[in-house]
Amino acid sequence: MTEQSRRWRVGALAASSGLSQRTLRYWDSIGLLSPSARTDGGHREYDSDDLLRLYRILGLRSLGLTLDSIATCLDGGADTRRIVSDQLADVDRRLTDLSTLRDRLVQVERSLDEQSAVTADVLLAAVRAQHGPDGSVLGEHLDPDQIDAVGAAVRAAGPAAHYMLEIEWPQLYRRADALLTAGARPDDPAVRRLVGRLDELGARFSGGDPDVGRRIGDAYREDPAAISGVSDPPADRWRAVADFIELARTAGAARTRGAGSTPQAEGGRP
């Protein structure tokens, strides 16, 4: 039997992968990973393509993505080689951070063993090693403090930021475009769920600051392809999609107010 022709029933795949049958069955039920093959007797089996998808799911999950984000990224064409590279980079980064932290802690320990006062420089170096470097990311519409805040959020997400911002976010815009084309109303539940996820992403990378979200929205309207990562339709079409998303957001806020609840603060609007 060749590698390409190997197949696994759920129990065999669970035993071989270390996952539980319950997990595999749950992923099947939500459409994240379903057996693609069938035996002559009609039993469902996982094939080599399913195994590759399983690896990609676990790889993205190890980078911090949720199952919903993973499903969207896989639909958006997340590249297996990129996932492997990002996993390696994440492991190397953590090894480097641990090595740096160990060196700093050795310095602190040595100072204490010598019964001398630990210098401020040694302590600050140890603090930096535990919290990581600071820096800045992002563009022209944000002031330096906001750039720092967004950059910190991106760095905190690690390799997962690539999948959330460069694959999931554009894929959500494509789905919004498809819903708009199909004639969906802004208050359609599918549209509201999609906008809810966009707002989750916005809040994560704006630090919950509505001013940052507004400025990113302004940048989007100036250059939607650069901000959203989707350049296939014309810019005017993506602006129409952005307007559709905003209508859905407004409809959702009105529904919340009508239910007598207090709307949560808006975090950001990709």
Side-chain angles (χ1 to χ4, degrees), residues 58 92 122 144 148 164 266:
L58 294 175
D92 287 342
V122 168
D148 286 347
M164 287 187 279
E266 297 165 348

Side-chain angles (χ1 to χ4, degrees), residues 151-163:
V154 171
R155 287 194 304 280
H162 158 73
Y163 298 96

Side-chain angles (χ1 to χ4, degrees), residues 220-265:
Y220 177 91
R221 279 173 170 75
E222 283 186 21
D223 193 349
I227 300 300
S228 69
V230 279
S231 56
D232 13 8
D236 287 348
R237 178 61 184 178
W238 285 129
R239 293 188 185 101
V241 172
D243 291 340
F244 178 60
I245 289 171
E246 188 59 34
L247 284 173
R249 185 176 284 117
T250 302
R255 178 184 291 265
T256 301
R257 286 193 295 272
S261 301
T262 301
Q264 295 182 348

